[in-house]
Amino acid sequence: MISNKDLIHFFEKNNYDLRISNNGRWIDQKCTPDVVCIVSDCILNYLYENEDDIVFSVTDIWKCDYTKENVEEIFSKPGTDHEKSVNEYDKFFSQPIELLASSNVLKKEKKGNRNFYTVNDLDMLQYISWKEKNTVEFLFIYIKKVLKDSKIWDSFSNFFEIQTQEAYLNLKEKFENYIIENTNINKPLEVRRIFSKVINPLAYKFKKLGTSRGRISKNIITYSSLMYNQENFRDLVSNKPKNITRKEWIEQNGYQINIQFYRYQSEKAKKQLKKHNIFYRNGASEVSDEYSQGEATQVHHIFPQHSHPEISGYVENLICLTPTQHLYKAHPNNNTQIIDYEYQEVLLKAKANIIQKDIEHLGDISIYEFSNVIEVINKGFNENHEIENNDFVGIMNIITLHYLDN
């Protein structure tokens, strides 16, 4: 597990001064958090399936079956084998891979006119691939370190203090001139294409204005605006006004979701939880009852994936069970389309206890986040509770009251 201290230490041991490296491709147009995250995951999957081949190229990653199964549908792209998609896929994969190499997560070696890569820091690559929030944190620290090492951080810092159109234009001009003078990029248009990928992750973390359509943004930069796939990509419910319920919004607008995206997130989360459970609990069930004997080979969605896809990829909504617990208690009569609501209460309370102990024991390297616990509860119950950080007593009370009333 990677902690925030580990992240900072990783970057501190590297010098990213652009005046020395002359590397204009340290970040690029396609280096959004969601793309960097999934490309990292594709790299790991490729290495897992090709254990004897630790060296890979960009083409190796985009041509593998795992990519075809996920990237095409998640990002609504043409087939990876399609002739017209070659240039698009080259950028989609080569730019994030180049960023990973520039940051020293990967090592790059040129053979002839082709680049080949190996993993330099496996833990860091796994951290980035795990979830987009991790990737945002990685990019934020990386971008800031590059700008500081390159002695241009002050210009960005000033803009985040002043936040005017004049300050924005001044920063943009300074950045363009600096990149053209110190790297292998020599056209202002190319610099402008990457400017948003530099300034907006910083603006998001600082809760400041950034850039939008070549001007200072009208609003504070949001999480979704950092992504390659932005509004409406995951589902319409993500744009629901606060003054109506989720149920009313779905009834009025329908429920259009990117099924493949949530399936992909869910499978990734299941793998992470299984690995975590084996390491910290020796693969035992997370629920102690008369059916908990044996290995917990099943990962169960406490709130079903088909009815709550938006939380299906949260480890806080997943629990490791034995086959008997899963197919006899959680899903009566082995029918995965129905759930036992009394057992659901048991699972939620057991999971809350495990998450509490995990956070208390592991701190910032825990795979769980309390904010996600609240989100799972609120979306699962279709309620809107506000709870103080790490108030697990409050969580237990909400669970108990919900099942008393239903």
Side-chain angles (χ1 to χ4, degrees):
M1 293 293 180
I2 296 287
S3 68
N4 197 58
K5 289 181 180 179
D6 295 327
L7 265 178
I8 293 170
H9 176 70
F10 172 82
F11 288 110
E12 282 180 346
K13 65 184 181 182
N14 294 299
N15 183 1
Y16 302 105
D17 191 339
L18 298 176
R19 297 167 299 176
I20 297 173
S21 68
N22 307 126
N23 180 13
R25 301 300 176 188
W26 63 281
I27 196 167
D28 221 319
Q29 193 175 5
K30 296 289 191 285
C31 294
T32 56
D34 50 347
V35 175
V36 175
C37 182
I38 199 169
V39 169
S40 299
D41 185 46
C42 288
I43 292 170
L44 286 170
N45 191 78
Y46 174 83
L47 295 174
Y48 176 77
E49 292 184 348
N50 299 272
E51 294 181 0
D52 296 330
D53 188 7
I54 61 171
V55 180
F56 61 91
S57 68
V58 170
T59 305
D60 290 330
I61 304 305
W62 100 47
K63 294 287 185 181
C64 70
D65 290 339
Y66 189 76
T67 299
K68 294 177 184 179
E69 293 168 5
N70 293 294
V71 174
E72 290 175 19
E73 292 187 51
I74 292 173
F75 290 88
S76 301
K77 288 193 166 296
T80 53
D81 295 324
H82 198 286
E83 289 182 9
K84 294 182 179 179
S85 70
V86 171
N87 187 52
E88 177 67 11
Y89 270 108
D90 180 58
K91 291 178 182 177
F92 188 88
F93 285 92
S94 66
Q95 291 180 4
I97 288 174
E98 187 62 27
L99 179 148
L100 293 171
S102 297
S103 62
N104 287 327
V105 174
L106 302 178
K107 286 182 179 179
K108 181 175 74 171
E109 183 180 357
K110 203 169 189 70
K111 296 179 181 179
N113 60 353
R114 295 186 65 194
N115 292 325
F116 291 89
Y117 303 87
T118 54
V119 176
N120 184 49
D121 194 313
L122 182 59
D123 288 340
M124 193 61 65
L125 187 63
Q126 289 174 333
Y127 171 84
I128 297 165
S129 73
W130 164 220
K131 54 186 176 182
E132 290 162 5
K133 284 184 179 179
N134 288 1
T135 315
V136 170
E137 192 66 26
F138 174 87
L139 289 173
F140 168 70
I141 299 175
Y142 171 58
I143 292 167
K144 190 175 179 182
K145 182 66 160 59
V146 171
L147 297 177
K148 284 192 170 185
D149 286 353
S150 304
K151 305 302 181 186
I152 50 171
W153 170 248
D154 287 348
S155 298
F156 284 83
S157 182
N158 289 339
F159 166 71
F160 290 130
E161 288 291 329
I162 300 172
Q163 294 277 274
T164 63
Q165 176 68 6
E166 183 180 357
Y168 168 83
L169 292 174
N170 184 47
L171 170 63
K172 192 176 179 183
E173 183 181 4
K174 283 184 177 179
F175 183 72
E176 286 176 12
N177 291 337
Y178 183 95
I179 295 298
I180 290 170
E181 287 173 9
N182 293 285
T183 75
N184 50 10
I185 294 178
N186 54 24
K187 295 179 181 178
L189 182 59
E190 284 192 75
V191 185
R192 290 168 196 162
R193 284 173 177 164
I194 69 170
F195 183 61
S196 65
K197 303 305 180 290
V198 176
I199 191 173
N200 282 351
L202 300 172
Y204 165 71
K205 291 291 290 185
F206 291 136
K207 296 181 173 58
K208 297 287 186 176
L209 303 178
T211 183
S212 177
R213 301 181 184 277
R215 296 178 57 83
I216 188 172
S217 64
K218 294 180 180 179
N219 302 302
I220 290 172
I221 295 300
T222 62
Y223 182 80
S224 64
S225 68
L226 300 178
M227 305 300 171
Y228 184 88
N229 284 315
Q230 294 185 12
E231 302 293 346
N232 295 325
F233 156 61
R234 290 162 189 184
D235 58 52
L236 283 175
V237 181
S238 64
N239 299 319
K240 178 184 72 65
K242 292 184 178 180
N243 62 343
I244 68 172
T245 67
R246 181 178 182 276
K247 184 178 179 182
E248 290 170 335
W249 179 253
I250 292 172
E251 288 173 352
Q252 293 173 18
N253 298 275
Y255 194 17
Q256 301 173 15
I257 64 171
N258 187 327
I259 296 291
Q260 182 62 20
F261 170 78
Y262 289 114
R263 186 180 298 124
Y264 165 75
Q265 293 288 75
S266 175
E267 290 305 310
K268 221 171 42 159
K270 284 181 179 181
K271 290 177 186 176
Q272 179 75 2
L273 181 59
K274 268 191 173 181
K275 181 180 177 182
H276 189 76
N277 193 52
I278 289 170
F279 188 82
Y280 288 101
R281 296 175 54 83
N282 295 317
S285 172
E286 294 187 281
V287 179
S288 296
D289 60 20
E290 59 187 311
Y291 305 105
S292 60
Q293 296 302 312
E295 188 178 355
T297 58
Q298 310 286 301
V299 180
H300 171 68
H301 287 96
I302 301 173
F303 294 107
Q305 184 173 9
H306 63 83
S307 59
H308 295 83
E310 69 274 33
I311 54 173
S312 62
Y314 284 38
V315 286
E316 294 81 3
N317 184 41
L318 296 172
I319 191 162
C320 291
L321 303 174
T322 64
T324 306
Q325 287 175 319
H326 189 215
L327 299 174
Y328 177 71
K329 293 293 291 179
H331 297 297
N333 300 318
N334 199 16
N335 187 341
T336 57
Q337 295 305 305
I338 63 172
I339 61 170
D340 183 318
Y341 286 98
E342 289 184 8
Y343 200 58
Q344 186 182 61
E345 179 182 4
V346 172
L347 298 182
L348 279 171
K349 288 181 175 179
K351 191 69 188 186
N353 276 322
I354 284 170
I355 293 172
Q356 180 179 8
K357 291 175 183 176
D358 200 273
I359 290 174
E360 289 174 353
H361 178 64
L362 299 176
D364 63 357
I365 65 170
S366 170
I367 65 170
Y368 301 110
E369 295 179 37
F370 188 77
S371 60
N372 287 348
V373 178
I374 299 171
E375 188 172 350
V376 166
I377 292 293
N378 282 337
K379 290 187 175 178
F381 291 160
N382 194 24
E383 296 170 354
N384 187 28
H385 298 281
E386 293 185 5
I387 310 170
E388 290 186 8
N389 191 43
N390 292 337
D391 180 9
F392 284 95
V393 173
I395 290 290
M396 289 297 190
N397 289 337
I398 289 168
I399 295 171
T400 299
L401 289 172
H402 177 83
Y403 288 97
L404 282 175
D405 295 337
N406 289 276

